Amino acid sequence: MLKFDHVSKVYKGGKRAVQDLTLEIEKGEFICFIGPSGCGKTTTMKMINRLIEPTEGSIYINGKNILEGDSVQLRREIGYVIQQIGLFPHMTIQENISLVLKLLKFSEEKRRTRARELLALVDMTPDYLEKYPHELSGGQQQRIGVLRALAADQPLILMDEPFGALDPITRDSLQEEFKKLQRKLEKTIVFVTHDMDEALKLADRIVIMRDGQIVQCDTPDEILRNPANEFVEEFIGRDRLVQARPNIQTVEQIMNPSPITITGERTLSEAIQLMKHHRVDSLLVVDEKKVLQGFIDVEIIDQKRKKASLVRDVVETDIFTVEKHTLVRDTVRKILKVGMKYVPVVDDKHRLVGIVTRASLVDIVYDSIWGEDEMTKIG
Amino acid sequence: MDTILPFFSTYGSEMLYKTWEHLYISLIAAALGILIAVPLGVALTRFPKAAGFVMGVLGVIQTFPSFAILAFFIPLLGVGKIPAIIALFFYSVLPILRNTYTGVSGVQKSLLEAGRGMGMTGWERICYVEVPLAIPVMMAGIRLSTVYLIGWATLASFIGGGGLGDYIFSGLNLYQPEFIIAGAVPVTLLALLTDLLLGKVEGWVTPKGMKKMREAA
Ligand SMILES: Nc1ncnc2c1ncn2[C@@H]1O[C@H](COP(=O)(O)OP(=O)(O)OP(=O)(O)O)[C@@H](O)[C@H]1O
Ligand SMILES: [Mg+2]
């Protein structure tokens, strides 16, 4: 779908930002460019929509040399998300989202419908359409920034550190949301980041760059298993290499499949009995179909037992979960980063299927260290 | 009091006429100024090197005494309304030009990149991004320059342009204070009213999102 053929960029003043880059990207692929600051990621990306013109080489989209057509037309067919978000402050969210459609001369009505449709993709209600960017949180603004790039249903989207300016928790949820969106919409995405966690989580293939050249281009698993050289190893970081145990893949494989649960109709004293019996300090609350509702713990019960008597009335619904097909390494990072004691595992209908605790993660980390030692002994 | 009423009964309709004359001389000059200075200001942002030069030259012209400029036009264009309007127009250009330039070049680079990246042509960027975002600054220049023009238009009478300046000058020449007042008071009122009106206009043309943003800040 997208092909770089011996592309170089030399800036005025002689700076070689990109050197002889050759790369082919498949339709529907999610490609992350990563590398130290100044290695030429942004330059490479901007050559795709001709915000920067290559000095040498050619770039093809679906077999067509992009340098031969009209650059404005080209850009309208490529979604573009910038790090600074860049929403227009004088336009409503609706106008911001559908601006490309306006350039493409779609009718007002079509634009409105499309904006509404897109907003629904990120679970934002239609009343945001009439708001202005400054009335939104940073995370919401960046969601709109992404939607704007999807408006004309462009098959190819370029994103330059789109989540860089967000706080870690917002970034995390946006990444997840975006990955889902990408799978659903089957877009080809070129994504620049300097965050290895982000690249590992999102990318189908990661392109590691250094001084304008590709050092390694592989799937996240392959890069973790076989880093091309020391530069890559260092760039990934030792701790991540440990997490990359090849035989363990998804959360489903390591979770404890029978977490202690309770239903909302039970009383608080029953809950305490149950906790005492199993020697745990919190319980997951599910309904009769096993759909996860939230959790309760001793602290909550202690605070609310005077006012309420049923589990249903005190259940804390703000709970972090992972999907059972999530990769273990993502979950590990999340648990370690957010500092949670456990994470409930759910299926696609939000039914509880298991639980991953810190203890189960410790086992994996021990295993892999032990495994590695043994390897050295043999070698 | 007893001098005012007879004055009005004698000169009332003439005063109205002169006020009207005064107003349209200044407004035509201001309108011409906007028509020329706004596009020029936008154009100058494309050539930052030339911009410094043009602003410098205009800045120097602006320091010439108004009388000198008016006198300068007499041999070229003769006397009457047209030369007066042209001279005033010259005065209106700089503040509008400067503010347009400042406003447009102050637009965040990231917004321009977003616009370019989504496939806006240069013209679309000007219409959808640069000008709307520069409007508050541009309007400040237009307001200032229009109000000044109303004051300066008094001098138009000096080259036969008419307006309320006629009263002020004849009052000065014949030492008749009531004429000076009959000229000065309407000029001041006109300036105040115009400022008020343009304030309203500024409110209408400023994009709603920016107003809200300023309120929130
Ligand atoms: N317009 C320019 N003129 C001259 N040199 C430039 C220009 N833009 C970028 N460079 C240089 O080219 C090199 C690559 O820049 P680029 O912006 O592609 O890096 P990057 O990988 O995106 O870095 P970062 O992670 O900091 O964003 C850098 O050394 C930079 O200084
Ligand atoms: Mg960059």
Side-chain angles (χ1 to χ4, degrees):
Chain A
M1 138 126 227
L2 177 65
K3 192 171 130 195
F4 285 82
D5 187 19
H6 298 284
V7 173
S8 297
K9 174 68 194 178
V10 183
Y11 280 112
K12 270 186 237 132
K15 171 79 199 170
R16 279 198 158 272
V18 175
Q19 292 186 48
D20 197 32
L21 186 126
T22 296
L23 176 70
E24 207 159 326
I25 296 168
E26 297 300 320
K27 184 170 184 307
E29 222 179 349
F30 197 128
I31 295 280
C32 278
F33 280 84
I34 194 166
S37 185
C39 69
K41 308 180 289 289
T42 300
T43 308
T44 307
M45 202 195 75
K46 286 190 183 170
M47 283 192 288
I48 302 173
N49 62 359
R50 289 180 64 186
L51 287 177
I52 295 175
E53 302 272 338
T55 321
E56 279 163 43
S58 338
I59 299 169
Y60 300 90
I61 293 182
N62 295 326
K64 200 170 142 262
N65 189 342
I66 61 163
L67 296 170
E68 279 162 10
D70 172 34
S71 60
V72 166
Q73 199 51 43
L74 174 80
R75 290 183 199 130
R76 290 183 184 173
E77 288 158 14
I78 300 177
Y80 183 49
V81 184
I82 62 175
Q83 171 166 12
Q84 303 87 340
I85 308 179
L87 295 184
F88 299 111
H90 58 295
M91 297 184 190
T92 61
I93 297 308
Q94 207 254 128
E95 290 166 327
N96 264 290
I97 295 180
S98 58
L99 195 52
V100 189
L101 300 178
K102 189 169 180 179
L103 302 180
L104 293 168
K105 310 269 187 293
F106 278 58
S107 72
E108 165 79 32
E109 197 183 310
K110 281 221 182 81
R111 299 203 303 259
R112 180 168 288 278
T113 324
R114 181 72 180 143
R116 197 175 274 264
E117 212 173 275
L118 284 165
L119 211 55
L121 281 181
V122 292
D123 289 325
M124 282 169 76
T125 48
D127 56 309
Y128 279 101
L129 287 172
E130 298 311 318
K131 293 197 187 213
Y132 286 93
H134 75 274
E135 297 170 296
L136 271 57
S137 71
Q140 290 171 330
Q141 289 185 19
Q142 194 51 288
R143 280 184 183 85
I144 303 300
V146 172
L147 294 185
R148 182 170 67 174
L150 298 171
D153 206 10
Q154 299 93 326
L156 173 62
I157 316 261
L158 311 178
M159 307 177 91
D160 194 351
E161 302 197 28
F163 307 136
L166 303 173
D167 65 276
I169 294 179
T170 314
R171 191 188 316 157
D172 222 61
S173 61
L174 252 156
Q175 285 165 347
E176 215 135 292
E177 210 174 293
F178 182 62
K179 182 76 190 172
K180 266 190 219 147
L181 209 62
Q182 188 253 348
R183 282 210 200 97
K184 191 156 113 192
L185 304 176
E186 296 179 338
K187 303 280 179 194
T188 309
I189 293 183
V190 176
F191 191 104
V192 167
T193 177
H194 59 245
D195 177 358
M196 197 62 185
D197 288 330
E198 187 165 74
L200 288 170
K201 181 163 165 186
L202 295 175
D204 296 321
R205 269 196 303 158
I206 299 179
V207 178
I208 302 182
M209 287 185 71
R210 178 195 200 180
D211 298 335
Q213 286 171 312
I214 296 180
V215 183
Q216 185 171 10
C217 170
D218 260 316
T219 62
D221 280 318
E222 195 50 35
I223 283 181
L224 287 170
R225 248 177 286 174
N226 299 313
N229 56 25
E230 253 179 53
F231 171 78
V232 176
E233 242 171 71
E234 210 163 295
F235 204 77
I236 302 169
R238 265 248 154 281
D239 52 332
R240 291 205 192 83
L241 287 171
V242 168
Q243 292 162 17
R245 283 247 334 228
N247 53 342
I248 297 171
Q249 291 287 342
T250 63
V251 171
E252 197 175 12
Q253 286 165 282
I254 62 152
M255 72 188 182
N256 170 353
S258 41
I260 322 289
T261 60
I262 190 164
T263 53
E265 288 70 40
R266 302 295 200 80
T267 63
L268 290 185
S269 39
E270 279 175 307
I272 294 172
Q273 288 283 313
L274 198 62
M275 285 186 189
K276 200 169 158 195
H277 180 72
H278 291 281
R279 305 177 65 88
V280 290
D281 64 357
S282 73
L283 297 172
L284 294 172
V285 181
V286 293
D287 66 8
E288 65 286 353
K289 294 201 186 76
K290 291 214 104 190
V291 176
L292 184 64
Q293 308 290 312
F295 72 98
I296 53 167
D297 60 18
V298 271
E299 222 172 299
I300 296 175
I301 295 178
D302 189 42
Q303 279 168 12
K304 307 253 177 85
R305 66 191 300 179
K306 296 227 171 55
K307 280 174 250 154
S309 63
L310 288 184
V311 169
R312 190 171 63 216
D313 305 324
V314 301
V315 56
E316 174 59 61
T317 52
D318 189 10
I319 186 169
F320 193 85
T321 59
V322 292
E323 226 259 345
K324 65 182 180 183
H325 297 303
T326 320
L327 294 184
V328 170
R329 56 162 196 268
D330 295 336
T331 315
V332 172
R333 278 198 298 278
K334 211 169 276 167
I335 289 188
L336 297 180
K337 200 149 67 184
V338 189
M340 283 172 303
K341 282 183 291 202
Y342 64 88
V343 181
V345 181
V346 294
D347 65 9
D348 53 355
K349 298 211 170 56
H350 211 68
R351 282 182 303 231
L352 184 69
V353 293
I355 188 168
V356 176
T357 60
R358 270 189 167 234
S360 43
L361 291 180
V362 168
D363 287 344
I364 301 166
V365 175
Y366 277 143
D367 263 12
S368 61
I369 292 171
W370 184 76
E372 211 173 60
D373 278 351
E374 202 173 46
M375 296 272 284
T376 22
K377 257 182 257 163
I378 296 164
Chain B
M1 204 62 197
D2 20 292
T3 50
I4 291 181
L5 285 179
F7 187 91
F8 267 122
S9 59
T10 332
Y11 294 104
S13 63
E14 192 194 38
M15 229 171 106
L16 274 181
Y17 176 70
K18 290 220 182 287
T19 307
W20 160 242
E21 204 172 43
H22 194 101
L23 189 67
Y24 84 68
I25 291 177
S26 353
L27 290 191
I28 290 178
L32 284 177
I34 296 169
L35 226 56
I36 299 294
V38 168
L40 192 62
V42 175
L44 279 182
T45 57
R46 309 293 120 139
F47 309 100
K49 287 210 187 90
F53 177 75
V54 173
M55 298 291 189
V57 170
L58 281 170
V60 171
I61 294 179
Q62 198 86 11
T63 62
F64 294 170
S66 338
F67 268 113
I69 296 217
L70 286 169
F72 176 76
F73 277 105
I74 296 176
L76 288 177
L77 299 163
V79 293
K81 289 208 169 49
I82 308 273
I85 289 175
I86 292 179
L88 288 173
F89 151 75
F90 267 87
Y91 265 89
S92 71
V93 168
L94 187 73
I96 304 179
L97 183 72
R98 187 163 38 207
N99 279 40
T100 305
Y101 180 79
T102 317
V104 171
S105 38
V107 172
Q108 274 177 42
K109 293 290 161 282
S110 59
L111 295 181
L112 295 181
E113 195 190 308
R116 217 154 84 87
M118 71 165 58
M120 287 188 186
T121 59
W123 179 243
E124 285 166 338
R125 278 206 303 283
I126 291 174
C127 298
Y128 294 146
V129 184
E130 293 176 293
V131 168
L133 287 174
I135 272 185
V137 184
M138 268 160 60
M139 271 311 289
I142 289 172
R143 214 166 138 180
L144 184 82
S145 132
T146 310
V147 170
Y148 275 5
L149 281 193
I150 287 176
W152 284 326
T154 317
L155 299 177
S157 113
F158 176 69
I159 57 169
L164 290 160
D166 286 353
Y167 283 143
I168 297 181
F169 279 107
S170 49
L172 284 172
N173 286 337
L174 309 171
Y175 198 69
Q176 286 184 312
E178 62 266 34
F179 276 98
I180 302 184
I181 294 172
V185 171
V187 168
T188 314
L189 287 179
L190 223 46
L192 287 175
L193 281 176
T194 309
D195 191 45
L196 210 69
L197 194 72
L198 286 178
K200 286 264 186 296
V201 173
E202 186 177 338
W204 296 327
V205 295
T206 304
K208 198 165 146 231
M210 296 181 72
K211 267 187 282 181
K212 279 186 151 184
M213 192 162 60
R214 255 184 297 171
E215 279 159 23

